[in-house]
Amino acid sequence: MATRMKIAIASDHAAVELKAELRDWLIEQGHEVADLGPDTTDSVDYPDFGYKLAGVVADGTAERGVALCGSGIGISMSVNRNPAVRCALVGEPLSAALSREHNDANVIAMGARLTGSDMAKACLTAFLETEFGGGRHQRRVDKLSNPN
């Protein structure tokens, strides 16, 4: 099992149900989880929740983040607007693990309309249990926040 972490989770209206299931599952795994909303399926704008999630990961309130929307695309784009955050859109565990090992991703994004509950949990497990490889990857990761 992964080390217990502080994890923030946010979605748009299309992923509220998956968010609730993953939140509860993460708590069962022993993690401290901050649910940043929304709480209903009323229509919302994914950038609002993506920016909120990125902020708490960037300022260290959460060690990792989980971003969800219908496809995972829109919310991952909004999360990645913050230069301190590296959000990887994944759909299976190998990509989730490689996002950590090679890219030091601190947020994982998934699409609720594309990724079932069991696959989302498998992706989260790989994401949380994989350490950053460092070495040759560090220089590349550094360039993500400092392109010059």
Side-chain angles (χ1 to χ4, degrees), residues 46-112:
Y46 60 81
D48 297 336
F49 293 90
Y51 296 153
K52 186 187 296 188
L53 178 63
V56 300
V57 173
D59 73 13
T61 302
E63 298 166 73
R64 301 270 175 87
V66 180
L68 306 165
C69 69
S71 67
I73 297 168
I75 201 161
S76 68
M77 289 177 167
S78 60
V79 170
N80 276 320
R81 295 287 184 160
N82 188 314
V85 179
R86 293 167 305 281
C87 178
L89 174 59
V90 305
E92 37 65 43
L94 179 58
S95 293
L98 290 173
S99 77
R100 287 285 310 132
E101 184 181 346
H102 291 187
N103 310 111
D104 198 18
N106 48 13
V107 178
I108 186 175
M110 294 178 281

Side-chain angles (χ1 to χ4, degrees), residues 5-132:
M5 294 181 203
K6 291 182 181 178
I7 300 169
I9 189 168
S11 71
D12 73 354
H13 55 278
V16 167
E17 291 176 16
L18 180 61
K19 177 177 62 76
E21 184 174 350
L22 295 178
R23 178 198 61 222
D24 294 347
W25 179 78
L26 286 165
I27 291 168
E28 288 172 12
Q29 302 301 306
H31 300 289
E32 182 180 329
V33 181
D35 185 339
L36 305 180
D39 298 323
T40 72
T41 57
D42 295 343
S43 183
V44 297
D45 297 331
Y46 60 81
D48 297 336
F49 293 90
Y51 296 153
K52 186 187 296 188
L53 178 63
V56 300
V57 173
D59 73 13
T61 302
E63 298 166 73
R64 301 270 175 87
V66 180
L68 306 165
C69 69
S71 67
I73 297 168
I75 201 161
S76 68
M77 289 177 167
S78 60
V79 170
N80 276 320
R81 295 287 184 160
N82 188 314
V85 179
R86 293 167 305 281
C87 178
L89 174 59
V90 305
E92 37 65 43
L94 179 58
S95 293
L98 290 173
S99 77
R100 287 285 310 132
E101 184 181 346
H102 291 187
N103 310 111
D104 198 18
N106 48 13
V107 178
I108 186 175
M110 294 178 281
R113 294 179 179 142
L114 306 173
T115 307
S117 172
D118 289 341
M119 183 59 74
K121 290 174 185 174
C123 289
L124 263 174
T125 298
F127 178 74
L128 296 173
E129 291 182 352
T130 303
E131 295 295 323
F132 176 50

